[in-house]
Amino acid sequence: MNLIDNTIMCASSGMETNWHSINWSKFYQNVRRLQARIVKANQEGRWGKVKALQWLLTHSYSGKAIAVRRVTENQGKNTPGVDGKTWSTPEAKSEAILSLKRHGYQPFPLKRVYIPKSNGKKRPLGIPTMKDRAMQALHLLALEPVAETTADRNSYGFRPERSTADAHVQCYIVLAKKASPAWILEGDITGCFDNISHAWMLNNIPTDRMVLRKWLKSGYLYQNQLFPTEAGTPQGGIISPTLANMVLDGLERELQRKFSSSESGRFNRNKAALNQVNFVRYADDFIITGKSKEILVNEVKPLVEDFLAERGLSLSPEKTKITSIAEGVDFLGWNIRKYDGKFLIKPSKKNIQTFLDNIRETVKANKQAKQENLIRLLNPKIRGWTNYHKCSVASEAFSKVDKEIWQLLWQWAKRRHSKKSKTWIKRRYFHSNGNRNWVFSTKVVSPDGKSKHATLIKACDTKIRRHHKIKGEANPFDPKWETYFEDRLGRKMLANHKERKRLIHLWLDQDGVCPACRQKITEETGWHIHHILPKSEGGKDVTSNLVLLHPTCHMQVHNLKLKVDKPASVRGLR
């Protein structure tokens, strides 16, 4: 343990701070440096070092400040727990940093609420107090680097830099070929968050056991009655998704060990190809492929059941199915199926219907709203849904959605003016835009007196784009993956219209010149995005921390560990 780090990072009991005077860049840099050291120690199998570094991070002033910042900036910042407190002032946040102490810590019971599920049932949600949320956020800073290092390669839920789009591409990789597996086991775990064995977590999750035990046993308060918690990790806690991921991690490795190993125990690629057993998981939903139904029924399913039983979990009988790829399965809002041998991933009928029901409810609830207000409500919903599905075969679904929405809006407009003619209603609410007619739009006058059009976006305007799947072993906390994640950011900026504007802004900000070699950056030379302060040291994906370099210069900067200035005019390397 480094004495200098300890002096810089650890807060004495008498330390005071001004929330607005905190050097956040330095704090993030301190935390990311410790997280990178945790990853390295974990990869080397130095478990004592991992534990020591975790202790240092959870007792550091930097870590505590970042934890408080996270819980006071997220969506739940104004939702109190059972104590009714929120940290809404700078003074309260400063005091909160000093209150995050292991010694004498005792969490409050969770405030229990229930939210409806799509099948009509209700999902329990636990709301911790602000202090308990901050303590969870603090310990998550120390646990997440370990979780990322030990995670299954094809687990994509609730992990940094991963998304459902990565799971989508992996499904395509393992199922699209002519010789791909023909059978799929759709797995769903019964009440995953509610039934995880406390004993298993305390014995296997590499975090502070005393604090973890207190969280698990804190109980919950419902209708002024206190209930104990004997199993599970509560949905609603900041650390809960990572805990659940770590409980389920290892299933992919178990499958590989059984179906890809010879009698000698060595990996056998031919046996792996023969069994065609592949695994894709997002949170507690997963699919497992197999060459035949018999392999999935007689070998895969019993293995999964034994793996889960050890952790206090079981498969849901009503949701766990074994299906032919010709019949198709629904996974993460998509329908995965082969049509006469042609493999397609489309938005599922259920997902489309759920989206349209949501649009219908919004229109119905705003019968008297101004047209521009209805447009403002609908556009984010349409944009979010289409962006989710733009990596799939979704053109037909987008056209269907546009047609349904148009019919809803036409009925909305007719209801408002039942005595007017159809021609008048069209002229009032639907206009021409270029070559397109029947565009739901209206003029809006801004406070400065300028007028512009508020226009409803169309789903079919979203271009279908291929997603580049993240590498299974990529770890955002490991400095050696820095260039890989910078390349991914560059591709993302090119693919997204708004992000392309930021890319152009960066290029103009540099006068189109590479700050490393001071030569022009053009389409012919190519470019790479570079973080001035690396992400592994706390750097962010913000314009002020990004610069464009030539590909060769980018590799040189990383290999020689050179520093690049943000050029107002190009200043070059230092």
Side-chain angles (χ1 to χ4, degrees), residues 477-547:
F477 298 100
D478 190 342
K480 74 179 182 182
W481 288 97
E482 190 79 32
T483 55
Y484 173 77
F485 284 109
E486 287 177 340
D487 289 344
R488 281 182 66 82
L489 176 63
R491 284 198 297 268
K492 178 182 176 182
M493 292 174 74
L494 278 173
N496 186 291
H497 177 67
K498 289 185 178 180
E499 291 291 340
R500 279 203 300 274
K501 290 182 179 179
R502 185 158 66 133
L503 198 64
I504 294 169
H505 176 76
L506 284 173
W507 187 83
L508 292 173
D509 189 48
Q510 299 174 203
D511 296 326
V513 173
C514 172
C517 66
R518 305 194 181 200
Q519 300 301 307
K520 281 286 185 180
I521 294 175
T522 66
E523 288 188 16
E524 288 73 24
T525 64
W527 63 84
H528 279 185
I529 300 289
H530 177 72
H531 290 87
I532 297 170
L533 178 64
K535 291 189 74 175
S536 59
E537 296 180 12
K540 299 293 182 182
D541 291 335
V542 294
T543 305
S544 59
N545 191 48
L546 299 177
V547 69

Coordinates of all heavy atoms in Angstrom, one line a residue, residues 477-547:
F477 N -11.9 -0.9 -16.9 CA -11.1 -0.5 -15.8 C -9.6 -0.9 -16.0 O -8.8 -0.5 -15.2 CB -11.6 -1.2 -14.5 CG -13.0 -0.8 -14.1 CD1 -14.1 -1.6 -14.4 CD2 -13.2 0.5 -13.5 CE1 -15.3 -1.2 -14.1 CE2 -14.5 0.8 -13.2 CZ -15.6 0.0 -13.5
D478 N -9.3 -1.6 -17.1 CA -7.9 -2.0 -17.4 C -7.3 -1.0 -18.4 O -7.8 -0.9 -19.5 CB -8.0 -3.4 -17.9 CG -6.6 -4.0 -18.0 OD1 -5.6 -3.3 -18.0 OD2 -6.5 -5.3 -18.2
P479 N -6.2 -0.4 -18.0 CA -5.6 0.6 -18.9 C -5.2 0.1 -20.3 O -5.1 0.8 -21.2 CB -4.3 1.1 -18.1 CG -4.7 0.8 -16.7 CD -5.5 -0.4 -16.7
K480 N -4.9 -1.2 -20.4 CA -4.4 -1.8 -21.6 C -5.5 -1.8 -22.7 O -5.3 -1.9 -23.9 CB -3.9 -3.2 -21.5 CG -4.9 -4.3 -21.2 CD -4.3 -5.6 -21.1 CE -5.3 -6.7 -20.9 NZ -4.7 -8.1 -20.8
W481 N -6.8 -1.6 -22.3 CA -7.9 -1.5 -23.2 C -8.3 -0.1 -23.6 O -9.3 0.2 -24.2 CB -9.1 -2.2 -22.6 CG -9.0 -3.7 -22.6 CD1 -8.6 -4.5 -21.6 CD2 -9.2 -4.6 -23.7 NE1 -8.5 -5.8 -21.9 CE2 -8.9 -5.9 -23.2 CE3 -9.6 -4.4 -25.0 CZ2 -9.0 -7.0 -24.0 CZ3 -9.7 -5.6 -25.8 CH2 -9.4 -6.8 -25.3
E482 N -7.5 0.9 -23.2 CA -7.8 2.3 -23.4 C -8.0 2.6 -24.9 O -9.0 3.3 -25.3 CB -6.7 3.2 -22.8 CG -7.0 4.7 -22.8 CD -7.9 5.0 -21.6 OE1 -7.8 4.4 -20.6 OE2 -8.7 6.0 -21.8
T483 N -7.1 2.2 -25.7 CA -7.2 2.5 -27.2 C -8.4 1.8 -27.8 O -9.0 2.4 -28.7 CB -5.9 2.1 -27.9 OG1 -5.6 0.7 -27.7 CG2 -4.7 2.9 -27.5
Y484 N -8.7 0.6 -27.3 CA -9.9 -0.1 -27.9 C -11.1 0.7 -27.6 O -12.0 0.9 -28.5 CB -9.9 -1.5 -27.2 CG -11.2 -2.2 -27.6 CD1 -11.3 -2.9 -28.8 CD2 -12.3 -2.3 -26.7 CE1 -12.5 -3.5 -29.2 CE2 -13.4 -3.0 -27.0 CZ -13.5 -3.6 -28.2 OH -14.7 -4.3 -28.6
F485 N -11.3 1.2 -26.4 CA -12.5 1.9 -26.1 C -12.5 3.3 -26.8 O -13.6 3.8 -27.1 CB -12.7 2.1 -24.6 CG -13.2 0.8 -23.9 CD1 -12.3 0.1 -23.1 CD2 -14.5 0.3 -24.1 CE1 -12.8 -1.1 -22.5 CE2 -14.9 -0.8 -23.6 CZ -14.1 -1.6 -22.7
E486 N -11.4 3.9 -27.0 CA -11.3 5.1 -27.8 C -11.8 4.9 -29.2 O -12.5 5.7 -29.8 CB -9.9 5.7 -27.8 CG -9.5 6.3 -26.4 CD -8.1 6.8 -26.4 OE1 -7.3 6.4 -27.2 OE2 -7.8 7.6 -25.5
D487 N -11.4 3.8 -29.8 CA -11.8 3.4 -31.2 C -13.3 3.2 -31.2 O -14.0 3.6 -32.2 CB -11.1 2.2 -31.7 CG -9.6 2.4 -32.0 OD1 -9.2 3.6 -32.1 OD2 -8.9 1.4 -32.0
R488 N -13.9 2.6 -30.2 CA -15.3 2.3 -30.2 C -16.1 3.7 -30.1 O -17.1 3.9 -30.7 CB -15.7 1.5 -29.0 CG -15.4 0.0 -29.2 CD -15.9 -0.8 -28.0 NE -17.3 -0.8 -27.8 CZ -18.2 -1.5 -28.5 NH1 -17.8 -2.4 -29.4 NH2 -19.5 -1.5 -28.2
L489 N -15.5 4.6 -29.3 CA -16.1 5.9 -29.2 C -16.1 6.6 -30.5 O -17.1 7.3 -30.9 CB -15.4 6.7 -28.1 CG -15.9 8.2 -27.9 CD1 -17.3 8.2 -27.5 CD2 -15.0 9.0 -27.0
G490 N -15.0 6.5 -31.2 CA -14.9 7.1 -32.6 C -16.0 6.6 -33.5 O -16.6 7.4 -34.2
R491 N -16.2 5.3 -33.5 CA -17.2 4.7 -34.4 C -18.6 5.1 -34.0 O -19.4 5.4 -34.8 CB -17.1 3.1 -34.3 CG -15.9 2.6 -35.1 CD -16.1 1.1 -35.4 NE -16.2 0.3 -34.2 CZ -15.1 -0.3 -33.6 NH1 -13.9 -0.1 -34.2 NH2 -15.3 -1.0 -32.5
K492 N -18.8 5.2 -32.7 CA -20.1 5.7 -32.2 C -20.4 7.1 -32.6 O -21.5 7.4 -33.0 CB -20.1 5.6 -30.7 CG -21.4 6.0 -30.0 CD -21.3 6.0 -28.5 CE -22.6 6.5 -27.8 NZ -22.5 6.5 -26.4
M493 N -19.4 7.9 -32.6 CA -19.6 9.3 -33.0 C -19.9 9.4 -34.5 O -20.6 10.3 -34.9 CB -18.3 10.2 -32.6 CG -18.2 10.3 -31.1 SD -16.6 11.1 -30.6 CE -17.0 12.8 -31.1
L494 N -19.3 8.6 -35.3 CA -19.5 8.6 -36.7 C -20.9 8.1 -37.1 O -21.6 8.6 -38.0 CB -18.5 7.7 -37.5 CG -17.1 8.4 -37.7 CD1 -16.2 7.3 -38.3 CD2 -17.3 9.5 -38.7
A495 N -21.4 7.1 -36.3 CA -22.7 6.5 -36.6 C -23.9 7.4 -36.1 O -24.9 7.3 -36.7 CB -22.8 5.1 -35.9
N496 N -23.7 8.2 -35.1 CA -24.7 9.0 -34.6 C -24.7 10.4 -35.2 O -23.6 11.1 -35.1 CB -24.6 9.0 -33.1 CG -25.8 9.7 -32.4 OD1 -25.9 11.0 -32.5 ND2 -26.6 9.0 -31.7
H497 N -25.8 10.9 -35.6 CA -25.9 12.2 -36.3 C -25.4 13.3 -35.4 O -24.6 14.2 -35.7 CB -27.3 12.5 -36.8 CG -27.5 13.9 -37.4 ND1 -26.9 14.2 -38.6 CD2 -28.1 15.0 -37.0 CE1 -27.2 15.4 -38.9 NE2 -27.9 15.9 -38.0
K498 N -26.0 13.3 -34.1 CA -25.6 14.4 -33.2 C -24.1 14.3 -32.8 O -23.4 15.3 -32.6 CB -26.4 14.3 -31.9 CG -27.9 14.7 -32.2 CD -28.7 14.7 -30.9 CE -30.1 15.2 -31.1 NZ -30.9 15.2 -29.8
E499 N -23.6 13.0 -32.7 CA -22.2 12.8 -32.3 C -21.3 13.3 -33.4 O -20.2 13.7 -33.2 CB -22.0 11.4 -31.9 CG -22.6 10.9 -30.6 CD -22.0 11.6 -29.4 OE1 -20.8 12.1 -29.6 OE2 -22.6 11.6 -28.4
R500 N -21.8 13.2 -34.7 CA -20.9 13.6 -35.8 C -20.7 15.1 -35.8 O -19.6 15.6 -36.1 CB -21.6 13.2 -37.2 CG -21.4 11.8 -37.6 CD -21.6 11.7 -39.1 NE -22.9 12.0 -39.5 CZ -23.9 11.2 -39.6 NH1 -23.8 10.0 -39.1 NH2 -25.1 11.6 -40.0
K501 N -21.7 15.8 -35.2 CA -21.5 17.3 -35.1 C -20.4 17.5 -34.1 O -19.6 18.5 -34.2 CB -22.8 17.9 -34.6 CG -23.9 17.9 -35.6 CD -25.1 18.6 -35.1 CE -26.2 18.7 -36.1 NZ -27.5 19.3 -35.6
R502 N -20.3 16.7 -33.0 CA -19.2 16.9 -32.0 C -17.9 16.6 -32.6 O -16.8 17.2 -32.3 CB -19.5 16.0 -30.8 CG -18.5 16.2 -29.7 CD -19.0 15.7 -28.3 NE -19.2 14.3 -28.2 CZ -18.8 13.6 -27.2 NH1 -18.2 14.1 -26.2 NH2 -19.1 12.3 -27.2
L503 N -17.8 15.6 -33.5 CA -16.6 15.2 -34.2 C -16.1 16.3 -35.1 O -14.9 16.7 -35.1 CB -16.9 13.9 -35.1 CG -15.7 13.1 -35.5 CD1 -14.9 12.5 -34.3 CD2 -16.1 12.0 -36.5
I504 N -17.0 17.0 -35.8 CA -16.7 18.1 -36.6 C -16.2 19.3 -35.8 O -15.2 20.0 -36.1 CB -17.9 18.5 -37.5 CG1 -18.2 17.5 -38.5 CG2 -17.6 19.9 -38.2 CD1 -19.6 17.7 -39.2
H505 N -16.8 19.5 -34.6 CA -16.4 20.5 -33.7 C -15.0 20.3 -33.2 O -14.2 21.2 -33.1 CB -17.4 20.6 -32.5 CG -16.9 21.6 -31.4 ND1 -17.1 22.9 -31.6 CD2 -16.3 21.4 -30.2 CE1 -16.6 23.5 -30.5 NE2 -16.2 22.6 -29.7
L506 N -14.6 19.0 -32.9 CA -13.3 18.7 -32.5 C -12.3 19.1 -33.6 O -11.2 19.6 -33.3 CB -13.2 17.2 -32.1 CG -13.8 16.8 -30.8 CD1 -13.7 15.3 -30.6 CD2 -13.0 17.4 -29.6
W507 N -12.6 18.7 -34.8 CA -11.7 18.9 -35.9 C -11.5 20.4 -36.2 O -10.4 20.8 -36.4 CB -12.3 18.2 -37.2 CG -11.4 18.2 -38.4 CD1 -10.5 17.3 -38.7 CD2 -11.5 19.2 -39.5 NE1 -9.9 17.7 -39.9 CE2 -10.5 18.8 -40.4 CE3 -12.3 20.3 -39.7 CZ2 -10.2 19.5 -41.5 CZ3 -12.0 21.0 -40.9 CH2 -11.0 20.6 -41.8
L508 N -12.6 21.2 -36.1 CA -12.5 22.6 -36.3 C -11.7 23.3 -35.1 O -10.9 24.2 -35.3 CB -13.9 23.2 -36.4 CG -14.7 22.9 -37.6 CD1 -16.1 23.4 -37.5 CD2 -14.0 23.4 -38.9
D509 N -11.9 22.7 -33.9 CA -11.2 23.3 -32.8 C -9.7 23.1 -32.9 O -8.9 23.9 -32.3 CB -11.7 22.5 -31.5 CG -11.2 23.2 -30.2 OD1 -11.3 24.4 -30.1 OD2 -10.7 22.5 -29.3
Q510 N -9.3 22.1 -33.6 CA -7.8 21.8 -33.9 C -7.4 22.4 -35.2 O -6.2 22.2 -35.6 CB -7.6 20.3 -33.9 CG -8.0 19.6 -32.6 CD -7.8 18.1 -32.8 OE1 -8.5 17.4 -32.0 NE2 -7.0 17.6 -33.7
D511 N -8.2 23.2 -35.8 CA -7.9 23.7 -37.2 C -7.5 22.6 -38.1 O -6.8 22.8 -39.1 CB -6.7 24.7 -37.1 CG -7.0 25.9 -36.3 OD1 -8.2 26.4 -36.4 OD2 -6.2 26.5 -35.6
G512 N -8.1 21.4 -37.9 CA -7.9 20.2 -38.8 C -6.5 19.7 -38.7 O -6.1 18.9 -39.6
V513 N -5.7 20.0 -37.6 CA -4.3 19.6 -37.5 C -4.2 18.6 -36.3 O -4.7 18.8 -35.3 CB -3.4 20.9 -37.3 CG1 -2.0 20.5 -37.0 CG2 -3.5 21.8 -38.5
C514 N -3.4 17.6 -36.6 CA -3.0 16.6 -35.5 C -2.0 17.3 -34.6 O -0.9 17.7 -35.0 CB -2.4 15.4 -36.1 SG -1.8 14.2 -34.9
P515 N -2.3 17.3 -33.2 CA -1.4 18.0 -32.3 C -0.1 17.2 -32.1 O 0.8 17.7 -31.5 CB -2.2 18.1 -31.0 CG -3.2 17.1 -31.1 CD -3.6 16.9 -32.6
A516 N 0.0 16.0 -32.5 CA 1.2 15.2 -32.3 C 2.2 15.5 -33.4 O 3.4 15.7 -33.1 CB 0.8 13.7 -32.3
C517 N 1.8 15.4 -34.7 CA 2.7 15.6 -35.8 C 2.5 16.9 -36.5 O 3.3 17.3 -37.4 CB 2.6 14.5 -36.8 SG 1.0 14.4 -37.7
R518 N 1.5 17.7 -36.1 CA 1.2 19.0 -36.7 C 0.9 19.0 -38.2 O 1.2 19.9 -38.9 CB 2.3 20.0 -36.4 CG 2.6 20.1 -34.9 CD 3.4 21.2 -34.5 NE 3.7 21.2 -33.1 CZ 4.1 22.3 -32.4 NH1 4.2 23.5 -33.0 NH2 4.3 22.2 -31.1
Q519 N 0.4 17.8 -38.7 CA 0.0 17.7 -40.1 C -1.5 17.6 -40.1 O -2.2 17.3 -39.2 CB 0.6 16.5 -40.7 CG 2.1 16.5 -40.7 CD 2.7 17.7 -41.4 OE1 2.4 17.9 -42.6 NE2 3.6 18.4 -40.7
K520 N -2.1 17.9 -41.3 CA -3.5 17.9 -41.5 C -4.2 16.5 -41.3 O -3.6 15.5 -41.7 CB -3.9 18.4 -42.9 CG -3.8 19.9 -43.1 CD -5.0 20.6 -42.4 CE -4.9 22.1 -42.6 NZ -6.1 22.8 -41.9
I521 N -5.3 16.6 -40.7 CA -6.2 15.4 -40.6 C -7.2 15.4 -41.6 O -8.0 16.4 -41.7 CB -6.8 15.3 -39.2 CG1 -5.8 15.1 -38.1 CG2 -7.8 14.1 -39.1 CD1 -6.3 15.1 -36.7
T522 N -7.2 14.4 -42.5 CA -8.2 14.4 -43.6 C -8.9 13.0 -43.6 O -8.5 12.1 -42.9 CB -7.5 14.6 -45.0 OG1 -6.6 13.5 -45.2 CG2 -6.7 15.9 -45.0
E523 N -9.9 12.9 -44.5 CA -10.5 11.6 -44.7 C -9.5 10.5 -45.1 O -9.6 9.3 -44.8 CB -11.7 11.7 -45.7 CG -12.9 12.4 -45.1 CD -14.1 12.3 -46.1 OE1 -14.1 11.5 -46.9 OE2 -15.0 13.2 -45.9
E524 N -8.5 10.9 -45.9 CA -7.5 10.0 -46.4 C -6.6 9.5 -45.3 O -6.2 8.3 -45.3 CB -6.7 10.6 -47.6 CG -7.5 10.8 -48.9 CD -8.5 11.9 -48.8 OE1 -8.3 12.8 -48.0 OE2 -9.5 11.9 -49.6
T525 N -6.2 10.4 -44.5 CA -5.3 10.1 -43.4 C -6.0 9.3 -42.3 O -5.4 8.4 -41.6 CB -4.6 11.3 -42.7 OG1 -5.7 12.1 -42.1 CG2 -3.9 12.2 -43.8
G526 N -7.3 9.5 -42.1 CA -8.0 8.9 -41.0 C -7.7 9.6 -39.7 O -6.9 10.5 -39.6
W527 N -8.4 9.2 -38.7 CA -8.2 9.7 -37.3 C -8.6 8.8 -36.3 O -9.4 7.8 -36.5 CB -9.0 11.0 -37.2 CG -10.5 10.8 -37.3 CD1 -11.3 10.5 -36.3 CD2 -11.2 10.9 -38.5 NE1 -12.6 10.4 -36.8 CE2 -12.6 10.6 -38.1 CE3 -10.9 11.2 -39.8 CZ2 -13.6 10.6 -39.1 CZ3 -12.0 11.2 -40.7 CH2 -13.3 10.9 -40.4
H528 N -8.2 9.0 -35.1 CA -8.6 8.3 -33.9 C -9.0 9.3 -32.8 O -8.3 10.3 -32.7 CB -7.6 7.3 -33.4 CG -7.5 6.0 -34.2 ND1 -6.7 5.0 -33.8 CD2 -8.2 5.6 -35.3 CE1 -6.9 4.0 -34.7 NE2 -7.8 4.3 -35.5
I529 N -10.0 8.9 -32.0 CA -10.3 9.7 -30.8 C -9.3 9.4 -29.7 O -9.0 8.2 -29.5 CB -11.7 9.4 -30.3 CG1 -12.7 9.7 -31.4 CG2 -12.0 10.2 -29.1 CD1 -12.9 11.2 -31.7
H530 N -8.8 10.4 -29.0 CA -7.9 10.2 -27.9 C -8.3 11.0 -26.7 O -8.8 12.1 -26.8 CB -6.5 10.7 -28.3 CG -5.5 10.6 -27.2 ND1 -5.0 9.4 -26.7 CD2 -4.9 11.5 -26.4 CE1 -4.1 9.6 -25.8 NE2 -4.0 10.9 -25.5
H531 N -8.3 10.3 -25.5 CA -8.6 11.0 -24.3 C -7.4 11.7 -23.7 O -6.4 11.0 -23.5 CB -9.2 10.0 -23.2 CG -10.5 9.5 -23.6 ND1 -10.7 8.4 -24.4 CD2 -11.8 9.9 -23.2 CE1 -12.0 8.1 -24.5 NE2 -12.7 9.0 -23.8
I532 N -7.4 13.0 -23.5 CA -6.3 13.7 -22.9 C -5.9 13.1 -21.5 O -4.8 12.8 -21.3 CB -6.6 15.2 -22.8 CG1 -6.8 15.8 -24.3 CG2 -5.4 15.9 -22.2 CD1 -7.3 17.2 -24.3
L533 N -6.9 13.0 -20.7 CA -6.8 12.3 -19.4 C -7.4 10.9 -19.6 O -8.6 10.9 -19.9 CB -7.5 13.0 -18.3 CG -7.4 12.4 -16.9 CD1 -6.0 12.3 -16.4 CD2 -8.3 13.1 -15.9
P534 N -6.7 9.9 -19.6 CA -7.2 8.5 -19.9 C -8.4 8.2 -19.0 O -8.5 8.6 -17.9 CB -6.0 7.6 -19.6 CG -4.8 8.4 -19.8 CD -5.2 9.8 -19.3
K535 N -9.3 7.4 -19.6 CA -10.5 7.0 -18.8 C -10.1 6.1 -17.6 O -10.7 6.2 -16.6 CB -11.5 6.2 -19.7 CG -12.2 7.0 -20.8 CD -13.3 6.3 -21.5 CE -14.5 6.1 -20.6 NZ -15.6 5.5 -21.3
S536 N -9.0 5.4 -17.7 CA -8.5 4.6 -16.6 C -8.0 5.5 -15.5 O -7.8 5.0 -14.4 CB -7.4 3.6 -17.1 OG -6.3 4.4 -17.6
E537 N -7.8 6.8 -15.7 CA -7.4 7.7 -14.7 C -8.5 8.7 -14.4 O -8.2 9.7 -13.7 CB -6.1 8.4 -15.1 CG -4.9 7.5 -15.3 CD -3.7 8.2 -15.7 OE1 -3.7 9.4 -15.7 OE2 -2.7 7.5 -16.2
G538 N -9.7 8.4 -14.8 CA -10.8 9.3 -14.4 C -11.3 10.2 -15.5 O -12.1 11.1 -15.3
G539 N -10.7 10.1 -16.7 CA -11.1 11.0 -17.8 C -12.5 10.7 -18.3 O -13.0 9.5 -18.2
K540 N -13.2 11.6 -18.9 CA -14.6 11.5 -19.3 C -14.7 11.6 -20.8 O -13.8 12.1 -21.5 CB -15.5 12.5 -18.7 CG -15.5 12.4 -17.1 CD -16.2 11.2 -16.7 CE -16.3 11.1 -15.2 NZ -16.9 9.8 -14.7
D541 N -15.8 11.1 -21.4 CA -16.1 11.3 -22.8 C -16.7 12.6 -23.1 O -17.7 12.7 -23.8 CB -17.1 10.2 -23.3 CG -16.4 8.8 -23.2 OD1 -15.2 8.7 -23.3 OD2 -17.2 7.8 -23.1
V542 N -16.1 13.7 -22.6 CA -16.6 15.0 -22.9 C -15.6 15.7 -23.9 O -14.4 15.4 -24.0 CB -16.7 15.9 -21.6 CG1 -17.7 15.3 -20.7 CG2 -15.3 15.9 -20.8
T543 N -16.1 16.7 -24.6 CA -15.4 17.4 -25.7 C -14.1 18.0 -25.1 O -13.0 17.9 -25.8 CB -16.2 18.4 -26.3 OG1 -17.4 17.9 -26.8 CG2 -15.5 19.1 -27.5
S544 N -14.1 18.5 -23.9 CA -12.9 19.2 -23.4 C -11.8 18.2 -23.1 O -10.7 18.5 -22.9 CB -13.3 19.9 -22.1 OG -13.8 19.0 -21.1
N545 N -12.1 16.8 -23.1 CA -11.1 15.8 -22.8 C -10.8 15.0 -24.0 O -10.1 14.0 -23.9 CB -11.6 14.9 -21.6 CG -10.5 14.0 -21.1 OD1 -9.4 14.5 -20.8 ND2 -10.8 12.7 -21.0
L546 N -11.3 15.4 -25.2 CA -11.1 14.6 -26.4 C -10.2 15.4 -27.4 O -10.4 16.6 -27.5 CB -12.4 14.2 -27.0 CG -13.3 13.4 -26.2 CD1 -14.7 13.1 -26.9 CD2 -12.7 12.0 -25.8
V547 N -9.5 14.7 -28.2 CA -8.7 15.3 -29.2 C -8.6 14.3 -30.4 O -8.6 13.0 -30.1 CB -7.3 15.7 -28.7 CG1 -6.4 14.5 -28.4 CG2 -6.6 16.6 -29.7

